[in-house]
Amino acid sequence: MRKIAVYGKGGIGKSTLTSNLAAALAVQGKKVIQIGCDPKADSTINLLGGRPLQSVMGYMREFDEEPTSLEEISARGFGGVLCIETGGPTPGLGCAGRGIIATFNLLEDLELFEREQPDVVLYDVLGDVVCGGFAAPIREGYAEDVLIVTSGEKMALYAANNIATAVENFADRGYAKVRGVLLNRRNVPREEEKVQEFARAHQLPILADIPRSDAISEAEERGMTVVEYAPDAPVSQAFFALANDILKE
């Protein structure tokens, strides 16, 4: 079982990349779980035909109790991907990071991995703040590999640097390691050069170069991943190539 955490600045497109990677892996016959670790709880929406999923924290607020089965907090999406969203607290109240930790503990109690026996688990994690619960996939053994999503924009690279540095600080503890960078192009000046400089500074490979594509927007308007909507498009082929690279490791 491969356990991969995808980190990146909010709004950088990591949910789009994660769900398309999940779709590409599923098309190739792999059993995939995607866990959205963002208070917005929108990581898996394009795997689910545009339907929002009841988050774990949302369930607990609504029913004032923990769910007793996986079926109450999960749904099958495109290619059979099992989708779960941690969600977050009521805005202005509580800590979103604690919500992630509470969700992970609950999934252990429900024996998620033992029951599903997945080939790949993808965690889609907000990377603006790498502390507390947001660092749980790195620190607590839930993920083995980290992929960092960035563009050539200044704040995206700033967040990417914080993520890489945080993982490096855990290096001597046997926690997850950064396996590489995913360039999600925004077509800013010197974009490739800037991302290459960042990757070199941290001695990381650029594992994927995702072109800016109208096909992604067209797919998301229909509640779909681009891998489902236009599997032969160049941007979809980039996701299939990334999936193949991950499976070869």
Side-chain angles (χ1 to χ4, degrees):
M1 177 172 60
R2 296 291 305 280
K3 297 180 290 183
I4 302 168
V6 183
Y7 277 81
K9 177 185 178 298
I12 195 57
K14 65 182 169 44
S15 294
T16 295
L17 267 66
T18 305
S19 58
N20 275 285
L21 175 57
L25 289 163
V27 167
Q28 297 182 59
K30 299 304 175 183
K31 196 170 184 180
V32 183
I33 297 175
Q34 180 168 324
I35 302 175
C37 303
D38 189 316
K40 298 194 304 299
D42 60 357
S43 172
T44 60
I45 192 166
N46 292 317
L47 289 165
L48 294 168
R51 301 185 306 275
L53 176 64
Q54 168 79 292
S55 71
V56 175
M57 297 302 293
Y59 180 100
M60 293 169 70
R61 280 197 304 275
E62 181 176 348
F63 297 102
D64 197 28
E65 64 180 7
E66 291 186 352
T68 57
S69 70
L70 287 171
E71 287 74 18
E72 294 171 302
I73 52 166
S74 66
R76 296 279 177 191
F78 173 73
V81 176
L82 184 68
C83 301
I84 297 171
E85 298 279 0
T86 67
T90 301
L93 301 173
C95 170
R98 289 181 180 177
I100 294 172
I101 293 172
T103 296
F104 285 6
N105 290 337
L106 173 65
L107 295 178
E108 285 186 359
D109 292 341
L110 295 176
E111 300 182 331
L112 170 66
F113 301 138
E114 292 84 352
R115 171 178 163 175
E116 291 296 318
Q117 294 291 308
D119 299 302
V120 182
V121 181
L122 298 173
Y123 300 93
D124 174 13
V125 194
L126 186 66
D128 293 75
V129 181
V130 191
C131 65
F134 292 106
I138 301 172
R139 297 187 308 158
E140 307 299 331
Y142 293 104
E144 299 163 337
D145 300 330
V146 173
L147 304 177
I148 299 176
V149 181
T150 188
S151 66
E153 296 164 304
K154 181 178 179 180
M155 296 311 296
L157 286 166
Y158 182 82
N161 185 68
N162 284 343
I163 296 161
T165 301
V167 179
E168 289 164 5
N169 288 339
F170 296 143
D172 61 346
R173 306 183 193 182
Y175 294 154
K177 296 180 180 180
V178 179
R179 295 303 181 189
V181 177
L182 309 182
L183 167 54
N184 192 30
R185 287 185 179 265
R186 296 297 180 88
N187 295 344
V188 299
R190 297 180 52 245
E191 183 161 41
E192 185 172 357
E193 181 182 346
K194 292 175 183 177
V195 175
Q196 286 176 342
E197 288 174 359
F198 161 74
R200 280 196 299 270
H202 290 276
Q203 298 182 316
L204 297 171
I206 297 177
L207 298 178
D209 185 339
I210 307 299
R212 196 167 180 84
S213 172
D214 290 340
I216 290 179
S217 300
E218 294 168 5
E220 293 185 344
E221 286 177 2
R222 293 166 172 79
M224 302 165 72
T225 63
V226 73
V227 165
E228 178 184 5
Y229 172 69
D232 295 326
V235 66
S236 297
Q237 293 304 306
F239 287 116
F240 283 119
L242 174 60
N244 286 333
D245 286 346
I246 287 172
L247 295 174
K248 288 176 183 176
E249 291 185 9

